[in-house]
Amino acid sequence: MCGIIGYCGPLDAQKVLIDGLTQLEYRGYDSAGIALFDENSNIHFIKKVGKVAALKKVCEASPISSHCGIGHTRWATHGGVTSENAHPHMYGHITMIHNGIIENYQELTEAFHLKGKLLSQTDTEVSAAVLNELYKGDPLSAIRGLLSHLKGSYAFCIMFDDRPGEIYAVRNVSPLVAAYTGSGAMIASDLTALLPYSKKYFVVPEGKIIRLTAYQVSVFDICGNREAPDYMEASWNTDAAMKNGFPHYMLKEIHEQPEVLKQTVLPRLKNGLPDFTAEGIPDSMLKSVTEIRIIACGTAMHAGMVARSIIEPGLRIPVTVSIASEFRYEEPMITQNTLTIVISQSGETIDTLAALRLAASCHSPVISVVNVKGSTIARESDYVIYTHGGPEIAVASTKAYTVQIAALYLLFCRMALVRGLYTDEQARQFTSTLLKCSDTMEAMIGRKDLIREAVSHICDSPNAFFIGRGMDYAFSLEGALKLKEISYIHSEAYAAGELKHGTIALITDLVPVIAIATQKNILAKTISNIREVKARGAFVILLITEQTKTDDDLADLVIRIPETDDKFTVFPIAVVLQLIAYYTSVQKGLDVDQPRNLAKSVTVE
Ligand code: AGP
């Protein structure tokens, strides 16, 4: 949450910062601001409530000639959405931007007698004031002093008013990547802001202090000794983070799914069999674990629920799926025989990271399924399965979900193989069906018009229900989340069989119900549940496979997905659910890619 960028170099710093903030805006968009050293070494601030576009307008109206500056796009935590609370914050010699939460800011306010001296309600300004107190002309020693007082998570970029042309940065938990590019030194919350300038970058090591000048990026350890940064190469293109002609990132990312599914699966097939040698995942471990814990948040957690539906029945070992923010407080029983799987697109979600650390402390082997290379979750896991989804910019997760499921399906297949539950032939059949899901997704993308028609029955309704049983219920959870986050329609997912235990009281002829019925083993029962809501007047949109026979009066609108093995219906169904949410948001004239109150990467608890 919150996007940070810093730049020192020959280019127009104001432009570099605004372009970078535009790339990072999905991390938070309550307000935005920049601070720049001008050519006389004075610091100028521009802050605006609202989106980066508002800041850009002001900047363009009064450009500042600068080659060094920092910029921030905010997702509010401490203090409301006001220009006083927007970053950068200035206190004495210090100008600071921050992503994270300083938990002991109230104690620090008292300890450093800051009451009545602060302009904002933010924990960031408190940190700037403490740093100012400690600053006696040596930035490294003052920053070291500051760190000894702080509790919480942070990524800071700092300018000292008597050190023009220099930016300092430090982080704990909250992400930062940096690079010396062909055109200067850069630092940012994530890679997408650096990509237009460099494919080589390094993850800022926690607790190390970074100094950017126009000529270099230096890393200092806590004793002030220089260290060589550990550069890595991005596999994403600049293009991948652009809209490429689509009106929204979300639509572009929905369309990318058939391709990125193949990119995630194909490199892990050897003679048609799943193979995790490159990830170093030992078969002996996959064979010996006696239970699996899947932990994640939001859409990633829903991907885990889909995977659970095939892993537990397929491997006959217990599999639980936990919401990461709850997991730590459940006092979970984990042992070295528990395989922990954490799932995260960003690899930075703080609750997922905390859950990972807890599992690791219980000696459980941890596999993470992560999209962002080098992210904290990836680095702290014993093994990483990277999904090759490319950058996901829309706040609503789409392609990350389907590639996470594809990666988890491959892992399941490997486990079934090494545990003697699948023959080579069965495993090959499984992976070949998985690859064909690329076509079933493509087919649903081609049925956009029918899906748009369904949307006209949802748009004006304040409520919607998604129902299903078994795996279809897991899909419903994701459908409801997608719809509520970008259309603001109150959407609930319900296990279809559970409705009559209370919730069916809410069903009237004003409530559209999206019923998912792709699981043959439970089809008859799901159909009875659909009849129950239909009988209460609901407008039913039925999602079902091509060859499933239904009575004409069962639903008001039927969307059929290609016939496929029950385990794989998630892929075409996901596309339908994503497009339902997308077109609803578009039809309501909402901000599809940056829905209110949300941010792409949740790095605060
Ligand atoms: C869903 O559309 C969301 N953007 C959200 O639920 C997301 O999946 C969740 O915050 C987890 O993020 P992660 O995959 O980056 O950990």
Side-chain angles (χ1 to χ4, degrees):
M1 302 191 130
C2 298
I4 282 184
I5 182 150
Y7 173 74
C8 292
L11 303 178
D12 170 1
Q14 184 166 304
K15 182 172 181 328
V16 173
L17 296 183
I18 294 292
D19 289 351
L21 289 180
T22 308
Q23 288 291 332
L24 294 171
E25 194 170 37
Y26 65 101
R27 300 184 62 89
Y29 31 83
D30 289 334
S31 60
I34 56 172
L36 299 156
F37 273 111
D38 70 11
E39 283 169 348
N40 299 316
S41 303
N42 296 316
I43 296 180
H44 293 258
F45 287 88
I46 309 167
K47 304 195 209 185
K48 279 303 275 179
V49 167
K51 298 220 172 180
V52 176
L55 177 73
K56 185 176 179 186
K57 214 166 151 193
V58 180
C59 290
E60 283 173 353
S62 48
I64 295 163
S65 171
S66 168
H67 296 288
C68 177
I70 54 180
H72 186 270
T73 175
R74 179 171 187 244
W75 188 85
T77 56
H78 293 67
V81 180
T82 62
S83 57
E84 291 75 34
N85 290 333
H87 300 215
H89 289 282
M90 201 193 85
Y91 197 102
H93 293 290
I94 311 301
T95 300
M96 179 185 266
I97 53 177
H98 169 217
N99 168 27
I101 287 189
I102 304 303
E103 288 162 7
N104 58 335
Y105 77 105
Q106 273 162 333
E107 290 95 302
L108 292 171
T109 307
E110 278 177 28
F112 285 82
H113 311 292
L114 298 172
K115 267 212 175 108
K117 297 183 190 166
L118 302 168
L119 298 175
S120 74
Q121 290 94 53
T122 64
D123 51 344
T124 310
E125 194 185 3
V126 173
S127 310
V130 173
L131 183 59
N132 186 59
E133 275 303 306
L134 302 171
Y135 183 56
K136 306 286 177 256
D138 178 354
L140 294 182
S141 115
I143 293 171
R144 278 199 295 271
L146 173 68
L147 302 191
S148 68
H149 288 285
L150 298 183
K151 285 198 190 121
S153 60
Y154 47 83
F156 290 121
C157 278
I158 307 155
M159 299 198 305
F160 295 82
D161 65 356
D162 54 352
R163 313 285 297 204
E166 294 182 1
I167 295 170
Y168 291 82
V170 67
R171 78 176 191 101
N172 177 44
V173 185
S174 306
L176 274 181
V177 290
Y180 190 76
T181 75
S183 34
M186 295 192 78
I187 191 155
S189 299
D190 69 48
L191 186 59
T192 48
L194 302 190
L195 271 182
Y197 307 90
S198 174
K199 286 189 96 177
K200 290 216 162 89
Y201 69 102
F202 65 92
V203 176
V204 171
E206 283 179 308
K208 306 285 161 84
I209 301 173
I210 307 297
R211 184 176 63 205
L212 279 74
T213 67
Y215 310 102
Q216 61 183 342
V217 180
S218 316
V219 181
F220 298 93
D221 71 11
I222 206 69
C223 305
N225 303 312
R226 271 175 198 264
E227 277 187 9
D230 201 358
Y231 271 93
M232 49 208 286
E233 175 114 23
S235 47
W236 298 348
N237 306 320
T238 327
D239 239 31
M242 301 292 169
K243 280 191 200 153
N244 295 340
F246 285 92
H248 300 100
Y249 282 112
M250 183 179 177
L251 189 60
K252 175 194 169 227
E253 289 159 6
I254 291 171
H255 276 76
E256 284 172 343
Q257 292 179 104
E259 191 51 40
V260 293
L261 179 123
K262 287 189 230 153
Q263 284 169 16
T264 298
V265 174
L266 280 172
R268 300 186 168 106
L269 293 185
K270 235 186 210 159
N271 295 325
L273 300 177
D275 182 277
F276 291 98
T277 318
E279 286 80 4
I281 303 176
D283 283 344
S284 54
M285 184 271 285
L286 296 180
K287 204 170 166 177
S288 62
V289 291
T290 53
E291 63 156 346
I292 297 177
R293 293 273 192 161
I294 301 178
I295 311 161
C297 299
T299 293
M301 196 261 295
H302 295 157
M305 290 186 70
V306 174
R308 196 216 71 85
S309 315
I310 70 159
I311 301 175
E312 184 160 316
L315 299 185
R316 302 310 302 150
I317 58 171
V319 183
T320 51
V321 182
S322 301
I323 298 172
S325 56
E326 292 294 315
F327 178 73
R328 257 192 302 169
Y329 308 102
E330 286 167 357
E331 299 184 31
M333 305 242 312
I334 306 164
T335 69
Q336 63 207 22
N337 298 320
T338 310
L339 169 63
T340 300
I341 302 177
V342 296
I343 312 166
S344 176
Q345 187 284 130
S346 61
E348 301 293 348
T349 302
I350 193 128
D351 288 315
T352 310
L353 177 62
L356 178 165
R357 287 178 175 164
L358 174 62
S361 73
C362 301
H363 309 290
S364 161
V366 178
I367 299 180
S368 63
V369 176
V370 171
N371 197 39
V372 178
K373 209 168 149 188
S375 54
T376 313
I377 290 176
R379 282 180 292 113
E380 292 199 16
S381 308
D382 296 310
Y383 314 99
V384 193
I385 303 176
Y386 280 116
T387 50
H388 300 308
E392 192 180 65
I393 309 287
V395 166
S397 190
T398 53
K399 60 178 176 175
Y401 172 72
T402 44
V403 289
Q404 282 159 355
I405 294 169
L408 292 163
Y409 271 34
L410 272 186
L411 182 65
F412 156 75
C413 187
R414 181 78 206 167
M415 290 183 84
L417 200 57
V418 299
R419 294 167 87 99
L421 298 161
Y422 269 9
T423 61
D424 283 9
E425 208 31 58
Q426 284 170 311
R428 276 197 191 96
Q429 176 64 42
F430 183 95
T431 59
S432 133
T433 314
L434 180 57
L435 273 175
K436 284 191 198 125
C437 291
S438 178
D439 301 332
T440 60
M441 285 197 280
E442 199 75 71
M444 295 325 291
I445 289 170
R447 287 178 208 173
K448 289 200 269 254
D449 291 342
L450 179 60
I451 298 169
R452 227 189 248 140
E453 190 193 326
V455 160
S456 61
H457 301 282
I458 299 172
C459 259
D460 299 325
S461 175
N463 302 295
F465 274 82
F466 289 74
I467 63 169
R469 300 178 74 126
M471 255 194 166
D472 290 327
Y473 170 55
F475 311 160
S476 303
L477 288 164
E478 179 54 10
L481 175 63
K482 219 77 306 163
L483 185 66
K484 74 179 82 155
E485 75 174 323
I486 60 168
S487 77
Y488 314 148
I489 292 174
H490 167 239
S491 333
E492 270 200 63
Y494 237 79
E498 181 67 9
L499 276 170
K500 51 186 164 299
H501 297 285
T503 307
I504 203 163
L506 296 175
I507 303 292
T508 67
D509 52 2
L510 300 175
V511 181
V513 173
I514 294 99
I516 311 176
T518 70
Q519 300 301 297
K520 308 267 181 334
N521 64 334
I522 203 154
L523 186 70
K525 293 197 191 302
T526 310
I527 286 181
S528 307
N529 299 142
I530 297 170
R531 288 204 177 286
E532 289 156 12
V533 293
K534 190 84 192 79
R536 267 90 194 160
F539 186 91
V540 173
I541 300 166
L542 177 63
L543 277 44
I544 203 160
T545 66
E546 246 150 28
Q547 285 164 27
T548 309
K549 293 204 169 49
T550 53
D551 295 336
D552 287 349
D553 62 350
L554 180 62
D556 299 281
L557 204 143
V558 182
I559 299 175
R560 292 190 181 269
I561 60 162
E563 205 58 41
T564 178
D565 179 315
D566 282 11
K567 292 188 193 72
F568 298 89
T569 56
V570 61
F571 296 98
I573 286 290
V575 171
V576 178
L577 297 174
Q578 293 160 359
L579 287 172
I580 287 178
Y582 173 76
Y583 286 121
T584 307
S585 182
V586 170
Q587 207 144 315
K588 291 183 81 174
L590 299 172
D591 190 338
V592 174
D593 286 335
Q594 294 178 345
R596 71 182 177 211
N597 304 343
L598 294 173
K600 180 75 182 162
S601 174
V602 182
T603 52
V604 294
E605 284 182 53

